[in-house]
Structures are given as structure tokens and as C-alpha cells.
Amino acid sequence: MTGILSLPERRFADEEVVDVVVVGTGAGGAPVLARLAAAGLRVVALEAGAPGPPRDHAADETEATELYWLAERLAGGTTPQPMGANNSGTGVGGSLLHWGAFVPRPDARDLRLRTETGRGRDWPFGLDALLPYLREVEEAIQVSGPRNYPWDPSRRYPQPPVARNQAADAMARACDSLGIRATDAPAALVTRDTEQPGFGTRESCIHCGACHQGCRNGSKAGGDTTFLPAAVLDGAEIRPNCMVTGIERDALGRVSAVIYREDGRERRQRCAALFLCAGAVETPRLLLHAGLCNGSGQVGRNYMAHVATQVWGTVDREIRPNKGYPSSLISEDMVRPADADFVGGYLVQSLGIMPVTWANQVARGRGLWGRGLTDYLAQYNRVIGIGINGDCLPYEENRLTLSDELDESGMPKPLISFSAGENEQRIHAHAERVLSRIWEEAGASDLWTLTRYAHTIGTCRMGPDGDDAVVDGRGRSFEIDNLWICDNSVFPSALSANPALTIMALGLRSADAFLGRLPA
Amino acid sequence: MQQSAAPAGDAITLFCLHALGGSARSWDGPSACLGDGVRCVGIDLPGFGDTPMPGRHEVEQLADHVAELVRVAAPVRWGLLGNSMGAKVALAVARRAEDGEAGLSGLERLVLMAGSPPSPEPIPEERRREMLQWFRDGPARDREQARIFVAANVSSPLPADREQAAVEDVLRADKRAWRAWLTVGAAEDWQQRIGVLRTPALVLAGRADADLGPDAQRALMLPHLAHGRLLVLDAGHLLPLERPKEVADAVAAFVRKDGAFPGVAAGPVLPDEAYRAFIASDRVSRRVRAALEKRMEADDPAYAPQVLTPVALALLRAVMARVLPQTSDEANQGTIDLAARLDAQLAAGGGDGWRVATLPPDAEAYERGLRTLDAVARQGAGCPFLCLDGAGQDALLHEVQAGQCRADGLSPHQMLAWFEDVRGDAVRLFVSHPATMARLGYGGIGNGGDEPRLRGFDGSHLDRREAWEPRTPPGPGRVLAETGA
Ligand SMILES: Cc1cc2nc3c(=O)[nH]c(=O)nc-3n(C[C@H](O)[C@H](O)[C@H](O)COP(=O)(O)OP(=O)(O)OC[C@H]3O[C@@H](n4cnc5c(N)ncnc54)[C@H](O)[C@@H]3O)c2cc1C
Ligand code: SF4
């Protein structure tokens, strides 16, 4: 039987000044909590969502909406971003309860995009500063991957690669004949039974394909199967169903407590320091609502979303896209394509998909309706998909602001304006050509392209200078020295790699910085 | 109150409610043509015929009057007939009966003739104002105006005696009642109160009726009737006066009819037997099975919308039928009521976590988007959206999708965004239904039951179909070999 994250019985009193309150238990919050607890600090994570034990998940897309952040957000700009199922989760474990577990490492060039191209923005440190943390995360959460990673021969993954599904097989063959390198994807899941401290057994991946509905046997890594049980072992408290709505400060302007709602009641937890890890929408919303840390005017700005173009086709055999780990093949050949008319680049991955998600994309993105729609939907078992994750430049005017409507938390609903720029459109166009070529080579017909963007990135960027960044390179706010941020919001640029591995590495690194363990 | 022949054993009693300016005797014609087994009770509504004007003259008081007469008569089986104004009163009484008001049980039939709908009546303001000015200039003018009124509401002249009686009825009406209907009763909005009635209903419309003809009945009346059917007669507005025989025949046939009515549920929409066995199997977890079973429950044909108005719900059903045509080719396959399910979801507040900032909140966007679509139809095609044929409706939806739908209401750009939501919501509800899963041959629900160690799929044979997986429906191309085969 698979393990489970057991929440501790004991609860810190609200009046007790805990060392650190961590808001959010996702990719940023979970490793922060684990690291601080391991150092012996008294830490509490306040999590808006509910506990979701692996076995309670449901292999059904409608039921699984419980894993998404469903409080309404407003989407503006010329490419309004769907929220909810498209990009944000909730629960003890955050978005890693439903994520795809596709974990490429960031590319060193992407962190130096401005130096390389004059566009975008450099990170305040290079890949070498992150590398030890990336390796540590891969080990801690047990990433599976190929023996030889073509773009980084020195790399080793702790677990053997996951089985390829049919889309991956088709992509591998087609890439091979086109001379594009492709290999088994690094995936944050175990391919053999693995003991995880504090959790129990993570059973080997059973290729059920339901990663986005929550992994029912703990194979997939998430905070709930890895960092959070480790944190609990080390004495951390995780307080679910607690929505933080405010931050209190003392006479010196330092954080002294957080205000949160639990069971409809407002409460206050006192603390000596605060880590905001609520994600790139909720963290800036909270700061804007509280009126904090925004002397630079940067809170909410530079909202980014990865270019996430997909190409779908139909083949003359059954594919059954629900089967197998969804994104089991990767190509990094397009991280800097030779014929690029844009800066940056993208990763290619094969796709698996569940029918409601697919149908929704078809109806919205392909624009089909009527008989054409029902006829096409009937092709579900024969469709095959391939997609990308492409860099996105930061633009000041792509930003999150507070609307004048309130949601159930009593806070203003966020309004997120996002307009893809020319660089993003060029990446999309390039990807459309490459992906279509691959699928044509694979013998697919009736190809169509889904224009799509994914992930919520930016809005509280880190940087060397408090005039145009919200936190420094370690994650500490320039304005309030006991307020730290660690989640997808601190990214100064989007990178072509999917974000979660990097966020987890940043989590460990920021926690080390907080503990004074990072060299100056 | 006028009564026809004494009731036979299990005769049905039909309470007949006249139009503006009419009286119980407006029904003499149809009543005489109705044979045994039907007993007609004509009622003088307050302020008309012999019934005095009440203190207040709103639909509510008119309905009180009728309900009281029904209670006194205490029929075992009864029905309501209403013409124009009388139809609106009939709807109000039917709502009370369906809600279980004391003394009103046994309502079996509703016949609405050129009925004034639950919404404010679509009468041109100029005509209304003119009618309000009448009966103020002495007896000679009054008679002339009464004559004009009767003549304007029939498509061909009435026989002299009938015309004479109709004019007398108009003249003896309490003019306060006449004006009250024109200013208050006709303008009252009863849409939410009436909701959707379950009682089998027959809607009669006169082809030559200017304001409350077939189109108005389709667009404004039928949406409130779960089991309603429209019959069009060659007539004007005062159907019982103009076509007593046809009206009587239609009523007689309708009252006699039993069995299925249009719109009556064909029962739940179910996947085929093999897929039902799959759902019941140990490959599917208890939680998923319970969710699928809930989703398979039959839709209620008289679903009362909680967020949309009944008219908007009818519009949404029409749009859904164009967006996602559901075939019911196989035996026992009805269609999934996507519109009702969506309304229920909107009511539960179960949003998808976002909306385009330029659109109003979901429920409002739906109501207004649908009304805009209807306005475009009326503007461009000259008739309500619900009266267009499939091709006509498609043409408008194409305009919406091209961002070119211009009418009062949502902007073309908003309509474009709203229509994307409509498509997304439609497929979400459709594809998550087990009957659709079966049609797709979707096996994902069986990727793990409740056993201690979940089985998932055999990773070394992801290019095979496992024996338990449902088959892909027939189509082009190869099917996968079974594992172990
Ligand atoms: C469908 C999907 C698939 C994905 N697949 C991948 C993938 O394959 N690879 C990859 O790298 N990334 C993937 N991602 C992205 C990845 O999940 C996110 O980038 C990452 O989880 C973000 O981490 P975070 O810490 O910023 O926020 P989250 O992980 O979202 O965590 C934020 C947490 O904070 C909580 N919270 C928010 N506000 C409050 C508050 N006010 N009070 C208390 N708690 C609060 C939330 O409930 C949530 O639990 C995917 C995302 C989605 C939606
Ligand atoms: S495919 Fe593997 S990792 Fe994904 S949910 Fe299924 S078992 Fe878990």
C-alpha cells in the first residue's frame, strides 16, 4: 500500500511567536518548510487548500477539479490566460498535486538571456549557483530519466526512465528520421518502489496517465510525497484550509503576524519571519492587498507565461492518449535553434491527454462546433499530440493588478493582463513548423495547432537592485527584512525549462540563505 | 360562472378564462362543440362580465379569483383554458397548483390560446396608448371603439350575433379593469414565478395575430412549458370567438390524449451495456463510479432554471443543440440536457477559476449573451432565435464566432469570448458524461480501482489494448492488438 503524508497532531498556539510562517505548500513552500524544519526551527505552513491523500484522488477530470484554484480570477490583455485547470492548484502540496512532473533542468544560457541577446533579463546568479540545489532536489524527490542525457552527458538521474507511451514512440521515430535528438524525459516519478522518509512507500509508476488528476500511488513526486513528510518528521506543522488574507507589522515595520481565515473565522498567527510561497498570482495579490513591498512598483509586473504551443494530428491506428505517463519524451534541440528569428528557445515534449481537457482545447482552440465537433471528438482514441515549453520575455505592462470585485476570501479578485509579444509569437510560429514536420513524418493527418500559454511566472521578481526588483537574489524583500518570497513569482525571466524543478531548488537555496548558510 | 352539461363520471372540468374585454360567454362556441367527458366552466374575471372590479387588479388578484372558484367546484380532474390575458392568469393558477396549494390538486391540462406570456407582453407602445385613451368620449364613440377592438383581433369578420355579443362584453367591462390590464397586468413580469410548468400544455396561436402569434408563443410561452406543444390556426387573436370548432377539436383531442408528451424524458442517457459493466467492474474506483452514476441520472424535463430565466434556458438549449448536436440513433439514447446541467453548475457557483475580464460574471454573461443572440435574430432575420431553423441559427453563430455579431447587449468582441465559453462548457459537460466516454472508447476511468496495489496499465505494452479496455468505436484505421493475444 502506498504511503501517506500524516499531518502532525500538535498545533502552535496563535499567540506563540513561531520562527517562520510559510504561506503555501507548493513547489516553493514545501522545500522551504523542510529545510527550515531540518534546521530545528519552529515552522508552520498555512495552506489555503485541503489535504489530498494519494488514494483519495479520482481518475476523473471533473472530480479532479478539487485540485485546482477555482476562486475566480480575471484575465485581460490580448492573450487572456485561462486560470484554474490551466495553471494553478491548491491543496497540501500545491500545484504539485496535479502537475505533469516533467522536470528538465534550466539551461545556463536562459539565465543569461540579456547578456546573450540584449533582451529579457539576467538572473542575479548563474546556473552554477543553482546546480547543487537542482541535483539535491532530483535526489530528494527521486527523478527518473535516461542514462545518457544527450544535451548534458555528465547528468545522472536516480531512477530509470518511465515507459514511453505511443505519442512518445511516434515522436522518437519521427525525430530520428528528421535528425532531431530526442530522449526519455526527466520525470519526477519513481519507476521502482521507493521508500520516502516520513511518507512510506512510493510505489512504482503504473502508467495510469492520470498525473493531472493526482497520482494515486505516490509514484509522482510532489510536496505531499517528499518534502512535506520530511518536514513533519522534523517537527514542522502544516495547517490546511487556512487562507492568509493579511500581514501585520510591528512598530519597526517588520512582519509580526499573519492574518488568516479558518472555518470562516479570522485568526492571527504570530511569527518572527514570513516566507510567502503562494504562487505568482496569490503572492503579489496578497502584497498588493496589504500594500507592502511595493516601493519599486514592481509587485505584479512582468507576468510571464510559457509559450505552450501544441500540434495535434490523427493517425490510422489507436493511440489511446490517456495511457502512459503523459510527457515521456523530450527534445532540447530547440533551446537555441539555428534558424531562430527570436531570442531564447523552447523544449519539445510528447503529449498524453485526458478527453475533457482535449475536448475543451478542441472546442475553444480549434474553434470547432456542430457536426464537425462531434465527429472530431469521436476520434479521441486516434489523436496524437506534441507540444513545447518556450521562453517568454518579461514586459512591464503584462501585469497583475487588483480588480474592484471581491472573492470569497474578501480580497479583491486579481486581474491578470497578458499579451504575448512578438518574440513569443515567433517562438510559437517556429514551433508550429517544427512540430508539424515531426507529426507529418510520423504519418499523422488533419493537423492543427493550438495556440496556448501556460504557467504563472514573474510578478515579484528578484534582482540585484531594490529599485526594480521586489526581492534580492536570495529571496529576501528589499523593504521588509523578515519577509521572504519563494515561488514562481520571483523568476526574473521565464526560462525554456518547465518551472517546478527550479522553484524547488530556489526553495532550498532561499532557506539556506535565511539560515545564513549561503556564502555572501 | 357559466357551466355546460353536468359532469359525467370521470369527466374533466375545464375552467375557461377569457381575453381582455371578454367574459365567460366568450367560450360559448367551443363549449357547445365539446362533447361528453368534458365540462366547461366559463369564468368572468374580476372587472369583466358579471364579476365586480376588485380593490386591486393585478394578475395575482385575478388568479385568486380563479383559484377560489376551483376550490369551491372541487373537481377531481381539471384543466385551464386561457385566451390572451386569461392565459397569463391560467399560468399563475397552474404554478400554484403545481406548488401544491390547498384545494388545487388534480390539474391535468393547460391550453393557452394566443396567451399573454409570463414576461411583459410585447405590445407596441403606440397601440397600448391608443387603447388606454378609449372609452372616454360617450356611448356612441365607445361602441365604435369596441367594434374596432373586436375587428382588429380577428382575421376574418365574425358572424353578426357573435360580433354583437363580443362588442357588448367589451362595453360592459369595468373600464378600470380594462386600463389596469393595459398598464399593470400585461406589463407584470412573471417569468421567475412561473418558471417551468410540468403540466402538459397545448399552445394555440393564430397565424394572423400581430403580437402574440406563433413566433411570440415559441419564443416567450413554450420555454415555460416542459411538455408544451404548439398548434397554429388560421385566425387572429380571439381564437375561441373566431374558430370555436377548431379550438374545441384541438382541446378535445388534447384532453383525451394520454401517454407521452413532447419533451417528456426518454429516461436517463446511458452508455451501452458493455460500458456499464466496465463502470461496475473492479477496475474503476468507488469514488469514480459514484461520480459517474450521479452524472448518468436522468435530466428533469421540467428542470426549473436557477440562474437563467426560462426563456434564456430555452435559448441555451437551442444553442447547445447547434454547438454539440447529439445523435440519438441507438435505442434508449436520448440527449443530455447540457443547458440545464450548465445552469445547475452556475447556480452552485462552480466556476472554472477565471473569466475574461471584459465579460460580466458567468451567469450574467450567459443571460446577456443569449439575449443578444436573440436580439440579432430579431434584427437580422426578423424573428426570434427560437423560431429560426438550424441553418438560420448556425448562420448567426458563425457571425458571433467571426466577431461580427452586432446588436443591443454584449459587444461583438464580448460575444466572441462568450461563445468560446459556451463551446468549452458544452464539451466539458458532454465528454464527462459516461455515455460519451463509451462512444469515445475511453478507458481511463479503469486505470485503478480500490485494490491495495493499483494496476494501471502494463508499461511494456502501452501499444496494446488490454482485454478490459473498452473498444474504440468503428472508424478508419487499425485497432490495437490485445495484450497477451
Ligand atoms: C496542469 C499543470 C501541469 C503542470 N506541469 C508541470 C510540469 O510538468 N513541470 C513543471 O515544472 N511544472 C509544471 N506545472 C507548473 C508547476 O506546478 C508550478 O510552476 C509550480 O507548482 C509553482 O509553484 P509555486 O510554489 O509557485 O506555487 P504552487 O505550487 O501553486 O503553490 C502555491 C500554494 O499556495 C497556496 N496558497 C495560495 N494563496 C494562499 C493564501 N493566501 N494562503 C494560504 N495558502 C495559499 C495554494 O493553495 C497552493 O497550495 C504544471 C502546472 C499545472 C497547472
Ligand atoms: S502515470 Fe505514473 S506518475 Fe502519473 S499518476 Fe499514473 S502512476 Fe502516478
Side-chain angles (χ1 to χ4, degrees):
Chain A
M1 193 78 171
T2 180
I4 189 167
L5 159 65
S6 327
L7 298 184
E9 302 259 300
R10 104 176 160 147
R11 174 174 177 144
F12 288 101
D14 280 4
E15 320 74 59
E16 189 171 345
V17 183
V18 297
D19 293 321
V20 180
V21 161
V22 178
V23 180
T25 55
V32 166
L33 192 73
R35 191 65 128 218
L36 298 180
L41 269 57
R42 290 167 308 143
V43 285
V44 183
L46 296 178
E47 167 55 57
R55 270 311 184 93
D56 288 2
H57 297 314
D60 177 82
E61 290 167 278
T62 311
E63 292 290 294
T65 53
E66 69 190 10
L67 301 178
Y68 300 126
W69 187 279
L70 294 179
E72 191 170 70
R73 294 161 172 173
L74 307 183
T78 58
T79 40
Q81 287 304 287
M83 295 283 145
N86 185 54
N87 60 17
S88 22
T90 188
V92 175
S95 299
L96 301 191
L97 287 167
H98 71 244
W99 72 319
F102 184 77
V103 278
R105 285 188 194 167
D107 188 282
R109 292 164 291 184
D110 288 349
L111 283 87
R112 290 269 177 265
L113 193 65
R114 187 170 192 93
T115 305
E116 176 190 321
T117 69
R119 318 252 333 253
R121 214 175 147 85
D122 287 350
W123 284 45
F125 43 79
L127 184 65
D128 40 331
L130 265 187
L131 211 46
Y133 291 104
L134 292 166
R135 290 205 189 97
E136 185 181 345
V137 171
E138 285 170 352
E139 191 59 40
I141 68 173
Q142 290 290 303
V143 174
S144 64
R147 271 172 76 82
N148 293 304
Y149 200 68
W151 304 274
D152 179 6
S154 69
R155 196 182 299 185
R156 293 291 170 267
Y157 285 108
Q159 301 254 339
V162 66
R164 295 179 185 183
N165 65 2
Q166 292 215 70
D169 275 339
M171 172 176 154
R173 281 192 301 268
C175 284
D176 198 41
S177 35
L178 292 171
I180 299 171
R181 286 172 299 172
T183 191
D184 297 301
L189 52 85
V190 296
T191 49
R192 51 184 178 227
D193 286 7
T194 303
E195 288 308 305
Q196 192 80 35
F199 177 79
T201 310
R202 288 171 62 193
E203 290 172 354
S204 165
C205 174
I206 51 171
H207 321 104
C208 74
C211 297
H212 293 139
Q213 288 72 48
C215 180
R216 293 185 66 221
N217 57 344
S219 324
K220 192 177 76 170
D224 64 323
T225 56
T226 61
F227 288 115
L228 295 176
V232 170
L233 266 191
D234 287 324
E237 185 201 331
I238 298 170
R239 211 175 288 169
N241 302 311
C242 292
M243 173 78 184
V244 174
T245 55
I247 298 168
E248 274 188 358
R249 295 192 295 159
D250 61 18
L252 298 171
R254 305 182 81 233
V255 174
S256 55
V258 294
I259 317 281
Y260 64 100
R261 293 189 73 81
E262 183 181 17
D263 290 335
R265 277 189 38 224
E266 188 170 292
R267 306 183 61 144
R268 141 190 301 99
Q269 173 70 54
R270 303 187 64 196
C271 61
L274 173 63
F275 261 88
L276 283 183
C277 308
V281 174
E282 295 307 317
T283 289
R285 173 162 81 135
L286 194 56
L287 288 178
L288 289 175
H289 180 56
L292 298 179
C293 301
N294 199 20
S296 64
Q298 283 295 325
V299 175
R301 291 205 184 264
N302 301 298
Y303 179 92
M304 294 167 280
H306 283 126
V307 185
T309 310
Q310 298 181 352
V311 170
W312 288 90
T314 309
V315 292
D316 65 352
R317 64 179 188 283
E318 282 178 273
I319 290 294
R320 295 187 177 260
N322 59 288
K323 288 177 72 167
Y325 169 69
S327 23
S328 43
L329 208 84
I330 187 171
S331 173
E332 290 201 12
D333 269 13
M334 303 298 152
V335 171
R336 289 293 180 274
D339 60 347
D341 56 353
F342 46 81
V343 303
Y346 58 92
L347 302 179
V348 182
Q349 67 182 68
S350 59
L351 300 175
I353 201 162
M354 292 296 180
V356 175
T357 307
W358 178 71
N360 188 47
Q361 293 186 350
V362 168
R364 287 175 178 272
R366 197 176 189 187
L368 288 183
W369 52 277
R371 184 61 59 205
L373 175 58
T374 41
D375 286 352
Y376 185 52
L377 292 181
Q379 295 303 310
Y380 170 72
N381 268 354
R382 301 185 184 88
V383 298
I384 191 161
I386 183 169
I388 69 158
N389 196 77
D391 207 344
C392 172
L393 292 177
Y395 304 98
E396 284 259 295
E397 289 318 311
N398 283 343
R399 63 186 293 206
L400 178 149
T401 51
L402 300 181
S403 73
D404 45 22
E405 293 175 36
L406 302 184
D407 72 7
E408 46 268 44
S409 72
M411 293 199 286
K413 294 179 186 175
L415 165 61
I416 298 142
S417 282
F418 179 75
S419 304
E422 195 177 317
N423 201 61
E424 288 69 51
Q425 285 162 16
R426 288 182 175 182
I427 290 180
H428 165 80
H430 190 275
E432 175 170 28
R433 288 193 300 276
V434 171
L435 302 183
S436 301
R437 213 176 338 119
I438 295 173
W439 264 183
E440 275 156 18
E441 183 65 29
S445 59
D446 191 25
L447 299 189
W448 65 279
T449 304
L450 175 70
T451 306
R452 178 176 172 266
Y453 299 85
H455 306 139
T456 59
I457 314 165
T459 67
C460 289
R461 73 177 169 200
M462 57 180 166
D465 179 356
D467 284 341
D468 78 345
V470 180
V471 294
D472 65 19
R474 298 144 171 255
R476 185 206 292 248
S477 147
F478 283 105
E479 291 175 39
I480 302 176
D481 71 358
N482 66 344
L483 192 158
W484 296 63
I485 302 178
C486 185
D487 56 25
N488 223 337
S489 70
V490 301
F491 281 35
S493 76
L495 312 177
S496 57
N498 305 53
L501 178 70
T502 307
I503 301 172
M504 289 186 263
L506 285 177
L508 296 181
R509 186 172 181 272
S510 284
D512 275 356
F514 181 87
L515 295 167
R517 295 177 182 168
L518 212 60
Chain B
M1 192 154 78
Q2 288 194 358
Q3 307 196 355
S4 64
D10 62 347
I12 183 167
T13 306
L14 300 178
F15 296 90
C16 306
L17 317 181
H18 57 81
L20 175 68
S23 78
R25 61 179 190 181
S26 305
W27 301 96
D28 286 354
S31 165
C33 304
L34 277 165
D36 293 344
V38 180
R39 171 175 174 255
C40 285
V41 178
I43 292 177
D44 286 336
L45 290 170
F48 300 93
D50 294 330
T51 306
M53 178 73 183
R56 290 166 71 87
H57 194 282
E58 292 168 7
V59 173
E60 191 78 59
Q61 283 76 45
L62 306 191
D64 284 344
H65 179 75
V66 175
E68 193 46 39
L69 292 178
V70 174
R71 263 192 287 271
V72 169
V76 179
R77 304 172 53 217
W78 59 289
L80 284 161
L81 267 55
N83 181 201
S84 188
M85 169 180 88
K88 192 164 183 174
V89 178
L91 290 166
V93 176
R95 169 43 64 215
R96 295 183 185 191
E98 288 195 14
D99 288 349
E101 191 172 297
L104 298 184
S105 65
L107 173 64
E108 290 185 2
R109 293 291 189 274
L110 207 48
V111 184
L112 308 161
M113 311 181 193
S116 181
S119 65
E121 193 174 303
I123 176 177
E125 185 50 29
E126 205 175 303
R127 175 131 28 94
R128 198 178 70 97
R129 226 177 299 125
E130 187 191 349
M131 286 164 69
L132 276 172
Q133 289 316 313
W134 284 351
F135 312 124
R136 296 175 196 269
D137 311 311
R141 265 307 269 157
D142 286 1
R143 181 163 294 273
E144 192 187 324
Q145 286 161 343
R147 232 184 231 122
I148 293 173
F149 175 71
V150 172
N153 282 296
V154 290
S155 67
S156 55
L158 298 178
D161 54 335
R162 234 183 284 160
E163 210 238 322
Q164 180 66 21
V167 169
E168 291 304 334
D169 272 349
V170 174
L171 289 172
R172 71 186 171 128
D174 188 317
K175 296 307 169 307
R176 288 171 301 171
W178 171 276
R179 291 189 191 106
W181 172 255
L182 289 171
T183 50
V184 181
E188 282 179 47
D189 188 344
W190 278 69
Q191 295 180 83
Q192 293 299 0
R193 274 286 295 283
I194 300 300
V196 177
L197 294 169
R198 230 173 250 287
T199 309
L202 175 66
V203 174
L204 298 182
R207 208 182 304 281
D209 188 343
D211 305 325
L212 293 171
D215 279 1
Q217 297 303 325
R218 261 191 216 105
L220 301 174
M221 185 67 88
L222 284 176
H224 292 275
L225 306 168
H227 309 301
R229 198 163 59 86
L230 178 69
L231 185 65
V232 180
L233 300 181
D234 274 320
H237 186 62
L238 299 171
L239 295 152
L241 288 179
E242 194 180 352
R243 297 275 176 248
K245 175 84 174 73
E246 285 91 332
V247 165
D249 288 349
V251 170
F254 177 58
V255 163
R256 239 179 282 119
K257 187 173 167 157
D258 36 38
F261 287 92
V264 174
V269 179
L270 295 174
D272 60 32
E273 212 167 300
Y275 207 82
R276 292 209 299 274
F278 173 39
I279 292 173
S281 76
D282 66 359
R283 295 282 332 185
V284 178
S285 74
R286 277 187 297 273
R287 179 172 175 197
V288 170
R289 187 179 309 117
L292 298 179
E293 275 165 4
K294 183 105 193 67
R295 247 169 263 164
M296 278 192 282
E297 282 172 9
D299 293 309
D300 178 2
Y303 172 79
Q306 305 165 64
V307 162
L308 298 175
T309 57
V311 168
L313 181 71
L315 284 163
L316 185 56
R317 284 198 178 112
V319 169
M320 288 298 190
R322 302 318 302 167
V323 166
L324 209 55
Q326 300 180 49
T327 46
S328 43
D329 40 5
E330 293 139 45
N332 201 24
Q333 285 274 0
T335 54
I336 307 160
D337 192 347
L338 301 171
R341 287 172 184 234
L342 182 55
D343 178 83
Q345 265 184 22
L346 291 172
D352 56 1
W354 70 289
R355 71 171 210 262
V356 174
T358 50
L359 282 179
D362 290 348
E364 188 189 337
Y366 265 96
E367 182 78 29
R368 289 180 56 198
L370 291 161
R371 297 287 182 176
T372 308
L373 200 55
D374 194 37
V376 178
R378 287 169 193 268
Q379 227 172 59
C383 72
F385 187 80
L386 290 171
C387 300
L388 291 172
D389 61 11
Q393 294 179 337
D394 284 356
L396 290 188
L397 292 174
H398 279 296
E399 266 179 44
V400 172
Q401 196 177 19
Q404 257 144 33
C405 170
R406 249 168 260 282
D408 265 5
L410 297 184
S411 72
H413 184 76
Q414 287 176 311
M415 286 298 280
L416 182 75
W418 169 72
F419 188 49
E420 189 182 317
D421 281 348
V422 173
R423 299 194 307 269
D425 286 334
V427 291
R428 192 167 46 72
L429 290 162
F430 178 64
V431 175
S432 58
H433 194 286
T436 311
M437 292 179 175
R439 286 183 179 189
L440 303 189
Y442 171 59
I445 58 168
N447 62 7
D450 297 302
E451 60 276 22
R453 180 129 195 154
L454 301 177
R455 287 168 286 176
F457 293 101
D458 177 354
S460 48
H461 289 297
L462 288 173
D463 58 350
R464 303 274 178 88
R465 182 177 74 84
E466 299 190 16
W468 58 267
E469 284 183 89
R471 289 178 189 278
T472 298
R478 279 183 287 129
V479 295
L480 296 179
E482 240 179 63
T483 39

